[in-house]
């Protein structure tokens, strides 16, 4: 049975920071991938679906979500 989609709530400020980070020219690949994953999580996409598009494991995506929620 597949796992349910990950859920996080991004505040308008968080969304602004992610958008500016993704649009601000050259960035380290790792931080761009994390920003993309977080934006997908906020849209309700499952870790498995994100892992198919972004080169991260499902476990890494889940840990990213947990770290984001922790602060």
């Amino acid at each position: 049975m597949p796992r349910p989609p990950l859920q996080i709530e991004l505040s308008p400020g968080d969304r602004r920071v992610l958008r500016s980070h993704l649009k601000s020219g050259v960035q380290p690949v790792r931080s761009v991938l994390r920003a993309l994953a977080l934006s997908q999580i906020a849209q309700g996409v499952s870790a498995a679906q994100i892992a198919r598009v972004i080169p991260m494991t499902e476990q890494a995506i889940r840990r990213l979500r947990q770290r984001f929620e922790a602060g």
Side-chain angles (χ1 to χ4, degrees):
M1 182 163 102
R3 291 184 182 207
L6 305 171
Q7 294 291 320
I8 60 171
E9 287 293 322
L10 292 177
S11 68
D14 290 338
R15 288 185 193 279
R16 245 180 293 146
V17 169
L18 281 176
R19 246 183 264 120
S20 70
H21 186 71
L22 291 172
K23 291 181 179 182
S24 64
V26 178
Q27 297 289 332
V29 172
R30 182 180 288 176
S31 64
V32 170
L33 293 177
R34 288 176 181 163
L36 288 170
L38 281 173
S39 65
Q40 291 295 306
I41 292 168
Q43 294 175 20
V45 180
S46 72
Q49 291 172 321
I50 296 170
R52 285 188 208 114
V53 178
I54 297 173
M56 294 175 73
T57 64
E58 291 179 41
Q59 183 180 11
I61 294 166
R62 287 188 194 95
R63 281 194 316 256
L64 175 65
R65 179 189 146 262
Q66 291 170 346
R67 284 193 314 263
F68 179 81
E69 286 183 335

